[in-house]
Amino acid sequence: MAHSFAAVRDTYSSSASHYNVQKELAGRVQFDQRSVLIRLKVQEVDEAQVDHCERKIWSECADDIRELQELVEGADRLPEEELDSEEAECEAKRREKEMHPPLEKIFQCIENTASMHLSSGIHRAFVPQTEYLVPDQYHTLGFPRYIPDFTLLQDRALLADESNTVESQKRQWRHQAAFVEIRPSSKQHPGNSQNPDAGPLLTQVANYARLHLSARLFSVFSVSLMIFGDKFCLCIFDRLGGLVSPVFDMWRDLGILVRVVWNMTCVLTDEELGRDPSVSLHSSPDLSSANEAIYRIHGVDESGHRRDWCTHDALIWTSLSLFGRGTSIWRVRMLSEDGTPAGPVRIMKSSWRSSRRDPESDAYQVIETIKRYSRNAGQPLAITEWVSGGDVTVENKFNGEMETITAHRLRGAFCPEGEETVILHRMFLAPEGRPIWEYDDEGELLQGLIDALKAHKALAEGGLLHHDISAGNVLLCMRNNPGPGGAVGFLTDFDFAQISEVHAFPQQPVATPVKPDRAYGNVHSRLNYPDMVRKKRSFVDFERGAPMTGTLQFMSRDALKARKNCDMQFQATAKDDVESFFWVLWYALLRHLVDQNGGDLKERKTVNAIFKQEFGGTTTENILQLRNAGPRYGDAIAAGEYAAAHCMPYALLQLFKSYNMHFVKYMDKEVVEAFRKVHAARPDITLLNLSEDDAALADPARWFTHDKMIEDLEVCLECSRAHRMDVDT
């Protein structure tokens, strides 16, 4: 539904990305967790088979073991400060690559021995990676490119196939069930209970885990093996944090390594290696010719009864966050009793929510009330319609009861009452949409934004603030299939929606959620309950919304400043959301230009560089600096004739000029305030003054209101239509 806004390797350094992940890890990692070994069934491998495999390794891989020991001894002699320094990075990479061949032979010895003893039908393989791993989906423009030392290839048979299609699959994250990260020295440990700060090794693994969770379809956790010198441990990252096993010695505890590789390659199911337990591959004769793998999802129908769905076409979008909501968006269709797709295409949104916040599906009840009692009651709003969904449940294999999928459940851990966990939440929405940047002409783009802005205004006046306007949450309707009231675009994703202090709606009892006996948890089978009344910001007993939320690249400048200054008193308003709409417009124009791939090679490179610069940042400070400077529309025009004609058509040129003047004067106002403080202490310093016109440009209260933004876009739309008529005649 939205684009993945991650650091791009050739624009922002990988160290910046690692720094951000390292900050996220604070307080989220637990060390010395034997539960990791239990989840990977390490103790369930037959002891005799393990002994047999160990003897084979000592016999057949003796030279490889000696080579590894010599490499580790050499690395351990180096000072610790040199091992992870940027200056010694090339040397460190060389040492790691020298460890690949002997480790690969040891892995292969274990895999081959396991295959001889087992007939599970599971045949994975640990393979060294020498090229960047990439996603294979359109949604991942700007996906960071990294090279793990080893990955666990989902199907070992791919190794024997050298066709172009299979060669590309070997480099795709989605076909990797797990990964291995290596450091040459035993000093480069990931951390421990006494020193909980994540070291470079664990930070690297966490960074890979977020990419793995994003690109491996329907993943709920990521498994990795860390080898540092002659030591190793295992790690599992989920949306709540990371669990690291105890550290083992490679040679004294060789049996543990055998059990780990044995199970990961030949025993553990996809679900036990992180696949969503409510999803499976779907096989149907009618779908056998599909280019994409078809997934079967346990869901509910409009009445709240259990009904499975299947994916329809490729993934639309997935989040790159590690501990965030982990949102993924698919087109889906309901399955009939015989397993064939039936009914219209819907949008399925899966995400993780905090147990301390009400689910997004509840927000749609408030929206229904706003529709009924707003001053424009009866008029359709350009927003997604809730079809069905709720917290995802799966059957307990031991007692047959339905249990909600939470991070604690996946970990096999008890969650005490009141302790926070994260819950998998899934909704089915209508209508089907397409990304805002896939517009056919600028008129469609402008009208789509106007429709969404008007819907946002109606909701804000009714007491609901969206709080997360981004390029993924403003969609265009499918061609030849207009939205509510003939809308061209519509607003979606109310996960961060915040309710105002007082609703101006009639006093009515609060609706009680329905709990169907064989569907999702807390499912609302329909939304025409007695009208809901909200006196507080929260829903019922749980938090709904937060003081500062949103997608970083589209936050308003005030929200970015508050985030930068850790201002927890900051309260976002409708003005902040409206400013986010402006950045959505700029993003859509640039992304459309990138996707069109027009112009000569130099022009395309320039446009890509501008796009990455404007929307590839990962730090608040960097993004705030860019936003204060305004959009670089001049650079886009100067890129070449194609960019000038398609990125900044006549209808939008004056709009961006006027808004850029506001950004410049907005900065001037801050300079004036600084001068006034200096003038109070030093009257001899001349005070900088702004003219009345300049003050009007600088005054943020006069900008980014619903009415002004809608008016500005409507003027652009009329100019665009008039210009197109002139061109046609």
Side-chain angles (χ1 to χ4, degrees):
M1 202 179 264
H3 171 59
S4 298
F5 311 100
V8 182
R9 191 177 181 86
D10 54 358
T11 306
Y12 296 95
S13 68
S14 60
S15 60
S17 178
H18 292 340
Y19 173 72
N20 293 331
V21 172
Q22 189 174 34
K23 290 199 299 184
E24 279 192 275
L25 290 178
R28 290 182 177 269
V29 180
Q30 300 176 41
F31 294 92
D32 302 318
Q33 298 296 306
R34 301 197 70 86
S35 62
V36 174
L37 305 177
I38 296 173
R39 290 173 67 177
L40 299 181
K41 299 184 175 181
V42 168
Q43 299 304 320
E44 297 183 21
V45 185
D46 183 85
E47 189 70 37
Q49 294 174 349
V50 173
D51 290 342
H52 172 67
C53 189
E54 281 191 75
R55 289 193 298 271
K56 285 192 65 175
I57 293 172
W58 286 113
S59 172
E60 299 177 6
C61 304
D63 292 340
D64 303 296
I65 292 173
R66 280 193 295 271
E67 184 179 351
L68 282 172
Q69 290 172 334
E70 290 172 2
L71 288 169
V72 171
E73 288 174 5
D76 280 344
R77 285 194 292 267
L78 295 174
E80 191 170 348
E81 58 272 12
E82 290 186 16
L83 291 168
D84 290 307
S85 65
E86 292 186 9
E87 295 78 9
E89 184 176 359
C90 291
E91 178 64 17
K93 290 295 181 185
R94 182 189 66 79
R95 291 177 182 273
E96 290 172 17
K97 287 183 179 179
E98 288 179 346
M99 296 176 70
H100 286 188
L103 280 172
E104 183 179 14
K105 290 181 181 179
I106 293 173
F107 288 153
Q108 286 177 349
C109 183
I110 301 172
E111 294 161 12
N112 293 336
T113 306
S115 297
M116 290 171 55
H117 286 84
L118 301 173
S119 57
S120 62
I122 298 172
H123 302 287
R124 304 188 188 97
F126 280 105
V127 294
Q129 289 291 342
T130 57
E131 298 183 78
Y132 293 120
L133 283 193
V134 296
D136 59 329
Q137 300 289 351
Y138 169 72
H139 68 276
T140 41
L141 180 67
F143 195 93
R145 305 199 307 172
Y146 295 112
I147 310 175
D149 289 295
F150 282 79
T151 59
L152 182 60
L153 189 63
Q154 184 67 36
D155 185 358
R156 191 185 309 176
L158 295 177
L159 295 175
D161 190 335
E162 297 183 358
S163 64
N164 291 335
T165 301
V166 172
E167 283 299 314
S168 67
Q169 289 179 356
K170 296 174 186 177
R171 295 181 51 237
Q172 293 168 357
W173 276 107
R174 72 182 292 182
H175 295 289
Q176 317 305 323
F179 60 90
V180 182
E181 188 60 14
I182 298 171
R183 292 293 185 273
S185 172
S186 57
K187 298 176 184 178
Q188 297 171 286
H189 60 81
N192 51 55
S193 299
Q194 288 70 41
N195 181 23
D197 292 335
L201 172 56
L202 186 60
T203 302
Q204 179 88 38
V205 167
N207 207 6
Y208 290 168
R210 73 183 178 94
L211 304 182
H212 192 215
L213 286 169
S214 172
R216 189 184 183 220
L217 306 180
F218 294 106
S219 289
V220 291
F221 60 83
S222 174
V223 179
S224 57
L225 171 63
M226 291 182 279
I227 297 175
F228 45 105
D230 56 1
K231 304 291 190 294
F232 72 94
C233 62
L234 294 142
C235 181
I236 298 179
F237 273 104
D238 56 32
R239 299 299 180 179
L240 195 61
L243 300 176
V244 180
S245 76
V247 173
F248 300 98
D249 185 277
M250 183 82 77
W251 313 122
R252 288 197 299 269
D253 300 310
L254 181 58
I256 300 293
L257 182 64
V258 168
R259 293 169 184 271
V260 168
V261 176
W262 185 292
N263 278 356
M264 293 179 72
T265 56
C266 297
V267 175
L268 298 175
T269 64
D270 288 347
E271 181 180 325
E272 290 166 333
L273 282 175
R275 196 203 65 217
D276 183 345
S278 67
V279 175
S280 60
L281 277 172
H282 180 60
S283 58
S284 171
D286 294 338
L287 302 174
S288 59
S289 61
N291 293 326
E292 286 288 327
I294 306 298
Y295 291 88
R296 188 183 189 107
I297 303 105
H298 300 324
V300 289
D301 59 18
E302 290 87 342
S303 301
H305 297 102
R306 182 68 174 267
R307 180 63 66 87
D308 286 355
W309 300 67
C310 73
T311 55
H312 178 80
D313 209 352
L315 173 67
I316 297 176
W317 180 79
T318 183
S319 167
L320 272 178
S321 64
L322 179 57
F323 301 129
R325 293 177 289 169
T327 305
S328 64
I329 308 295
W330 293 81
R331 293 185 181 94
V332 296
R333 295 182 68 189
M334 192 179 297
L335 288 173
S336 60
E337 295 296 334
D338 62 0
T340 57
V345 175
R346 302 298 192 190
I347 293 295
M348 181 185 75
K349 174 186 174 183
S350 297
S351 61
W352 294 84
R353 70 173 183 88
S354 167
S355 56
R356 294 176 180 171
R357 298 178 64 243
D358 265 10
E360 183 182 354
S361 51
D362 283 7
Y364 282 91
Q365 295 184 75
V366 176
I367 291 172
E368 288 298 312
T369 307
I370 292 174
K371 285 182 180 179
R372 188 169 302 176
Y373 291 106
S374 68
R375 66 181 184 180
N376 297 316
Q379 296 184 9
L381 293 181
I383 60 175
T384 47
E385 297 289 336
W386 188 87
V387 176
S388 65
D391 295 335
V392 182
T393 62
V394 291
E395 183 178 346
N396 186 307
K397 296 178 181 178
F398 297 102
N399 58 25
E401 294 183 0
M402 301 302 291
E403 296 179 346
T404 303
I405 297 179
T406 68
H408 279 71
R409 183 190 182 278
L410 293 172
R411 294 179 175 190
F414 172 70
C415 185
E417 185 176 355
E419 182 174 324
E420 183 178 16
T421 188
V422 289
I423 302 169
L424 185 58
H425 191 69
R426 185 170 290 146
M427 296 188 306
F428 300 91
L429 307 167
E432 180 186 3
R434 55 193 169 98
I436 188 72
W437 57 86
E438 290 186 2
Y439 57 87
D440 293 329
D441 55 53
E442 64 268 17
E444 184 182 32
L445 168 64
L446 291 167
Q447 187 61 63
L449 286 170
I450 291 169
D451 293 338
L453 263 166
K454 289 181 177 179
H456 185 278
K457 179 183 179 183
L459 294 176
E461 290 175 344
L464 186 144
L465 188 61
H466 188 282
H467 244 3
D468 188 19
I469 300 298
S470 71
N473 296 336
V474 181
L475 300 180
L476 294 175
C477 297
M478 300 302 289
R479 296 176 180 87
N480 302 318
N481 188 20
V488 173
F490 59 94
L491 192 60
T492 186
D493 196 347
F494 294 90
D495 197 26
F496 280 150
Q498 191 171 19
I499 310 303
S500 64
E501 293 293 340
V502 178
H503 263 286
F505 301 141
Q507 291 285 346
Q508 296 286 345
V510 176
T512 302
V514 175
K515 284 191 176 182
D517 56 355
R518 54 189 181 280
Y520 282 11
N522 293 328
V523 176
H524 299 280
S525 59
R526 55 194 178 87
L527 291 176
N528 55 343
Y529 298 119
D531 304 313
M532 302 178 69
V533 178
R534 300 299 178 204
K535 289 279 188 177
K536 300 179 180 178
R537 181 171 286 107
S538 60
F539 276 20
V540 196
D541 298 324
F542 295 96
E543 179 185 351
R544 173 86 233 159
M548 285 168 48
T549 53
T551 303
L552 199 62
Q553 285 78 4
F554 299 95
M555 280 186 181
S556 70
R557 291 156 299 155
D558 286 344
L560 288 168
K561 286 179 190 174
R563 185 182 179 94
K564 175 185 175 183
N565 299 327
C566 299
D567 180 7
M568 300 308 296
Q569 301 303 313
F570 174 77
Q571 291 289 333
T573 65
K575 179 182 75 67
D576 296 286
D577 271 10
V578 173
E579 183 176 336
S580 295
F581 272 100
F582 178 82
W583 298 116
V584 169
L585 170 63
W586 178 228
Y587 177 91
L589 287 166
L590 278 180
R591 175 69 189 269
H592 183 80
L593 190 60
V594 169
D595 289 351
Q596 291 297 307
N597 202 31
D600 57 30
L601 179 61
K602 181 180 178 181
E603 186 173 356
R604 292 197 298 271
K605 286 184 175 180
T606 302
V607 169
N608 274 276
I610 295 172
F611 175 77
K612 293 171 183 177
Q613 177 69 27
E614 294 286 87
F615 292 98
T618 58
T619 66
T620 303
E621 293 78 5
N622 172 260
I623 295 172
L624 178 59
Q625 183 180 13
L626 289 168
R627 297 301 171 256
N628 279 330
R632 295 169 55 195
Y633 70 92
D635 292 348
I637 293 174
E641 293 182 4
Y642 184 88
H646 292 80
C647 175
M648 195 52 58
Y650 172 80
L652 288 165
L653 184 58
Q654 293 302 319
L655 174 75
F656 276 88
K657 279 185 177 180
S658 64
Y659 275 77
N660 258 24
M661 290 176 66
H662 162 64
F663 291 128
V664 172
K665 296 304 178 183
Y666 187 76
M667 287 296 292
D668 285 348
K669 186 177 181 182
E670 293 182 329
V671 174
V672 169
E673 292 300 323
F675 263 79
R676 284 173 178 161
K677 291 180 180 178
V678 174
H679 183 68
R682 293 280 306 278
D684 56 305
I685 296 180
T686 304
L687 178 64
L688 178 66
N689 289 304
L690 287 174
S691 68
E692 184 176 350
D693 290 340
D694 285 341
L697 279 170
D699 184 6
R702 305 190 188 189
W703 294 76
F704 298 118
T705 64
H706 284 109
D707 291 339
K708 176 169 175 51
M709 180 62 76
I710 291 171
E711 179 184 358
D712 288 342
L713 294 181
E714 286 179 337
V715 169
C716 284
L717 182 59
E718 289 302 316
C719 290
S720 175
R721 288 170 176 167
H723 180 67
R724 186 167 294 278
M725 289 178 64
D726 291 341
V727 172
D728 291 341
T729 56

mmCIF file with all atom_site columns, all heavy atoms in Angstrom, residues 31 90 148 172 193 204 244 281 353 490 549:
data_model
loop_
_atom_site.group_PDB
_atom_site.id
_atom_site.type_symbol
_atom_site.label_atom_id
_atom_site.label_alt_id
_atom_site.label_comp_id
_atom_site.label_asym_id
_atom_site.label_entity_id
_atom_site.label_seq_id
_atom_site.pdbx_PDB_ins_code
_atom_site.Cartn_x
_atom_site.Cartn_y
_atom_site.Cartn_z
_atom_site.occupancy
_atom_site.B_iso_or_equiv
_atom_site.pdbx_formal_charge
_atom_site.auth_seq_id
_atom_site.auth_comp_id
_atom_site.auth_asym_id
_atom_site.auth_atom_id
_atom_site.pdbx_PDB_model_num
ATOM 1  N N   . PHE A 1 31  ? 19.431  -12.013 26.387 1.00 0.00 ? 31  PHE A N   1
ATOM 2  C CA  . PHE A 1 31  ? 20.542  -12.924 26.125 1.00 0.00 ? 31  PHE A CA  1
ATOM 3  C C   . PHE A 1 31  ? 20.400  -14.208 26.946 1.00 0.00 ? 31  PHE A C   1
ATOM 4  O O   . PHE A 1 31  ? 19.597  -14.291 27.876 1.00 0.00 ? 31  PHE A O   1
ATOM 5  C CB  . PHE A 1 31  ? 21.865  -12.239 26.447 1.00 0.00 ? 31  PHE A CB  1
ATOM 6  C CG  . PHE A 1 31  ? 22.179  -11.076 25.533 1.00 0.00 ? 31  PHE A CG  1
ATOM 7  C CD1 . PHE A 1 31  ? 21.804  -9.780  25.865 1.00 0.00 ? 31  PHE A CD1 1
ATOM 8  C CD2 . PHE A 1 31  ? 22.833  -11.278 24.330 1.00 0.00 ? 31  PHE A CD2 1
ATOM 9  C CE1 . PHE A 1 31  ? 22.085  -8.709  25.033 1.00 0.00 ? 31  PHE A CE1 1
ATOM 10 C CE2 . PHE A 1 31  ? 23.123  -10.217 23.481 1.00 0.00 ? 31  PHE A CE2 1
ATOM 11 C CZ  . PHE A 1 31  ? 22.748  -8.931  23.833 1.00 0.00 ? 31  PHE A CZ  1
ATOM 12 N N   . CYS A 1 90  ? 37.872  -3.621  5.190  1.00 0.00 ? 90  CYS A N   1
ATOM 13 C CA  . CYS A 1 90  ? 38.249  -4.459  4.048  1.00 0.00 ? 90  CYS A CA  1
ATOM 14 C C   . CYS A 1 90  ? 39.006  -5.706  4.501  1.00 0.00 ? 90  CYS A C   1
ATOM 15 O O   . CYS A 1 90  ? 38.765  -6.811  4.000  1.00 0.00 ? 90  CYS A O   1
ATOM 16 C CB  . CYS A 1 90  ? 39.100  -3.656  3.070  1.00 0.00 ? 90  CYS A CB  1
ATOM 17 S SG  . CYS A 1 90  ? 38.175  -2.361  2.215  1.00 0.00 ? 90  CYS A SG  1
ATOM 18 N N   . PRO A 1 148 ? 24.675  -11.103 3.370  1.00 0.00 ? 148 PRO A N   1
ATOM 19 C CA  . PRO A 1 148 ? 24.964  -11.978 4.512  1.00 0.00 ? 148 PRO A CA  1
ATOM 20 C C   . PRO A 1 148 ? 26.046  -12.982 4.122  1.00 0.00 ? 148 PRO A C   1
ATOM 21 O O   . PRO A 1 148 ? 26.238  -13.282 2.943  1.00 0.00 ? 148 PRO A O   1
ATOM 22 C CB  . PRO A 1 148 ? 23.625  -12.676 4.780  1.00 0.00 ? 148 PRO A CB  1
ATOM 23 C CG  . PRO A 1 148 ? 22.602  -11.887 4.039  1.00 0.00 ? 148 PRO A CG  1
ATOM 24 C CD  . PRO A 1 148 ? 23.301  -11.265 2.880  1.00 0.00 ? 148 PRO A CD  1
ATOM 25 N N   . GLN A 1 172 ? 17.421  -13.891 -3.891 1.00 0.00 ? 172 GLN A N   1
ATOM 26 C CA  . GLN A 1 172 ? 16.232  -13.206 -3.397 1.00 0.00 ? 172 GLN A CA  1
ATOM 27 C C   . GLN A 1 172 ? 15.968  -13.576 -1.944 1.00 0.00 ? 172 GLN A C   1
ATOM 28 O O   . GLN A 1 172 ? 15.994  -14.756 -1.575 1.00 0.00 ? 172 GLN A O   1
ATOM 29 C CB  . GLN A 1 172 ? 15.016  -13.563 -4.262 1.00 0.00 ? 172 GLN A CB  1
ATOM 30 C CG  . GLN A 1 172 ? 15.121  -13.005 -5.676 1.00 0.00 ? 172 GLN A CG  1
ATOM 31 C CD  . GLN A 1 172 ? 14.079  -13.579 -6.605 1.00 0.00 ? 172 GLN A CD  1
ATOM 32 O OE1 . GLN A 1 172 ? 13.291  -14.439 -6.219 1.00 0.00 ? 172 GLN A OE1 1
ATOM 33 N NE2 . GLN A 1 172 ? 14.067  -13.111 -7.844 1.00 0.00 ? 172 GLN A NE2 1
ATOM 34 N N   . SER A 1 193 ? 24.336  -10.717 28.925 1.00 0.00 ? 193 SER A N   1
ATOM 35 C CA  . SER A 1 193 ? 23.482  -10.163 29.979 1.00 0.00 ? 193 SER A CA  1
ATOM 36 C C   . SER A 1 193 ? 24.207  -9.098  30.791 1.00 0.00 ? 193 SER A C   1
ATOM 37 O O   . SER A 1 193 ? 23.594  -8.153  31.289 1.00 0.00 ? 193 SER A O   1
ATOM 38 C CB  . SER A 1 193 ? 22.997  -11.284 30.909 1.00 0.00 ? 193 SER A CB  1
ATOM 39 O OG  . SER A 1 193 ? 22.241  -12.230 30.173 1.00 0.00 ? 193 SER A OG  1
ATOM 40 N N   . GLN A 1 204 ? 24.199  -5.824  13.054 1.00 0.00 ? 204 GLN A N   1
ATOM 41 C CA  . GLN A 1 204 ? 24.153  -6.274  11.659 1.00 0.00 ? 204 GLN A CA  1
ATOM 42 C C   . GLN A 1 204 ? 23.068  -7.328  11.466 1.00 0.00 ? 204 GLN A C   1
ATOM 43 O O   . GLN A 1 204 ? 22.289  -7.283  10.503 1.00 0.00 ? 204 GLN A O   1
ATOM 44 C CB  . GLN A 1 204 ? 25.508  -6.860  11.264 1.00 0.00 ? 204 GLN A CB  1
ATOM 45 C CG  . GLN A 1 204 ? 25.588  -7.377  9.844  1.00 0.00 ? 204 GLN A CG  1
ATOM 46 C CD  . GLN A 1 204 ? 25.993  -6.300  8.859  1.00 0.00 ? 204 GLN A CD  1
ATOM 47 O OE1 . GLN A 1 204 ? 26.831  -5.469  9.172  1.00 0.00 ? 204 GLN A OE1 1
ATOM 48 N NE2 . GLN A 1 204 ? 25.386  -6.292  7.696  1.00 0.00 ? 204 GLN A NE2 1
ATOM 49 N N   . VAL A 1 244 ? 18.495  -14.177 22.169 1.00 0.00 ? 244 VAL A N   1
ATOM 50 C CA  . VAL A 1 244 ? 19.797  -14.737 21.814 1.00 0.00 ? 244 VAL A CA  1
ATOM 51 C C   . VAL A 1 244 ? 20.077  -15.936 22.709 1.00 0.00 ? 244 VAL A C   1
ATOM 52 O O   . VAL A 1 244 ? 19.922  -15.856 23.935 1.00 0.00 ? 244 VAL A O   1
ATOM 53 C CB  . VAL A 1 244 ? 20.915  -13.685 21.957 1.00 0.00 ? 244 VAL A CB  1
ATOM 54 C CG1 . VAL A 1 244 ? 22.271  -14.282 21.570 1.00 0.00 ? 244 VAL A CG1 1
ATOM 55 C CG2 . VAL A 1 244 ? 20.611  -12.457 21.106 1.00 0.00 ? 244 VAL A CG2 1
ATOM 56 N N   . LEU A 1 281 ? 0.678   -22.339 1.578  1.00 0.00 ? 281 LEU A N   1
ATOM 57 C CA  . LEU A 1 281 ? 0.639   -22.317 0.119  1.00 0.00 ? 281 LEU A CA  1
ATOM 58 C C   . LEU A 1 281 ? -0.666  -22.957 -0.347 1.00 0.00 ? 281 LEU A C   1
ATOM 59 O O   . LEU A 1 281 ? -1.083  -23.988 0.189  1.00 0.00 ? 281 LEU A O   1
ATOM 60 C CB  . LEU A 1 281 ? 1.835   -23.061 -0.466 1.00 0.00 ? 281 LEU A CB  1
ATOM 61 C CG  . LEU A 1 281 ? 3.143   -22.277 -0.567 1.00 0.00 ? 281 LEU A CG  1
ATOM 62 C CD1 . LEU A 1 281 ? 4.278   -23.199 -0.987 1.00 0.00 ? 281 LEU A CD1 1
ATOM 63 C CD2 . LEU A 1 281 ? 3.013   -21.120 -1.560 1.00 0.00 ? 281 LEU A CD2 1
ATOM 64 N N   . ARG A 1 353 ? -0.148  -4.955  16.303 1.00 0.00 ? 353 ARG A N   1
ATOM 65 C CA  . ARG A 1 353 ? -0.579  -3.857  17.166 1.00 0.00 ? 353 ARG A CA  1
ATOM 66 C C   . ARG A 1 353 ? -0.182  -4.150  18.610 1.00 0.00 ? 353 ARG A C   1
ATOM 67 O O   . ARG A 1 353 ? -0.059  -5.311  19.024 1.00 0.00 ? 353 ARG A O   1
ATOM 68 C CB  . ARG A 1 353 ? -2.091  -3.650  17.083 1.00 0.00 ? 353 ARG A CB  1
ATOM 69 C CG  . ARG A 1 353 ? -2.916  -4.764  17.710 1.00 0.00 ? 353 ARG A CG  1
ATOM 70 C CD  . ARG A 1 353 ? -4.403  -4.415  17.736 1.00 0.00 ? 353 ARG A CD  1
ATOM 71 N NE  . ARG A 1 353 ? -5.195  -5.449  18.387 1.00 0.00 ? 353 ARG A NE  1
ATOM 72 C CZ  . ARG A 1 353 ? -5.439  -5.487  19.702 1.00 0.00 ? 353 ARG A CZ  1
ATOM 73 N NH1 . ARG A 1 353 ? -4.950  -4.549  20.498 1.00 0.00 ? 353 ARG A NH1 1
ATOM 74 N NH2 . ARG A 1 353 ? -6.166  -6.463  20.225 1.00 0.00 ? 353 ARG A NH2 1
ATOM 75 N N   . PHE A 1 490 ? -8.773  7.882   -2.459 1.00 0.00 ? 490 PHE A N   1
ATOM 76 C CA  . PHE A 1 490 ? -9.384  7.693   -1.143 1.00 0.00 ? 490 PHE A CA  1
ATOM 77 C C   . PHE A 1 490 ? -8.305  7.504   -0.084 1.00 0.00 ? 490 PHE A C   1
ATOM 78 O O   . PHE A 1 490 ? -7.137  7.235   -0.383 1.00 0.00 ? 490 PHE A O   1
ATOM 79 C CB  . PHE A 1 490 ? -10.365 6.515   -1.148 1.00 0.00 ? 490 PHE A CB  1
ATOM 80 C CG  . PHE A 1 490 ? -9.763  5.186   -1.542 1.00 0.00 ? 490 PHE A CG  1
ATOM 81 C CD1 . PHE A 1 490 ? -9.288  4.308   -0.578 1.00 0.00 ? 490 PHE A CD1 1
ATOM 82 C CD2 . PHE A 1 490 ? -9.679  4.810   -2.874 1.00 0.00 ? 490 PHE A CD2 1
ATOM 83 C CE1 . PHE A 1 490 ? -8.746  3.077   -0.935 1.00 0.00 ? 490 PHE A CE1 1
ATOM 84 C CE2 . PHE A 1 490 ? -9.146  3.580   -3.247 1.00 0.00 ? 490 PHE A CE2 1
ATOM 85 C CZ  . PHE A 1 490 ? -8.676  2.719   -2.269 1.00 0.00 ? 490 PHE A CZ  1
ATOM 86 N N   . THR A 1 549 ? 3.032   10.293  15.933 1.00 0.00 ? 549 THR A N   1
ATOM 87 C CA  . THR A 1 549 ? 3.048   9.101   15.108 1.00 0.00 ? 549 THR A CA  1
ATOM 88 C C   . THR A 1 549 ? 3.218   9.521   13.663 1.00 0.00 ? 549 THR A C   1
ATOM 89 O O   . THR A 1 549 ? 3.236   10.696  13.342 1.00 0.00 ? 549 THR A O   1
ATOM 90 C CB  . THR A 1 549 ? 1.743   8.305   15.266 1.00 0.00 ? 549 THR A CB  1
ATOM 91 O OG1 . THR A 1 549 ? 0.644   9.188   15.020 1.00 0.00 ? 549 THR A OG1 1
ATOM 92 C CG2 . THR A 1 549 ? 1.606   7.724   16.643 1.00 0.00 ? 549 THR A CG2 1
#
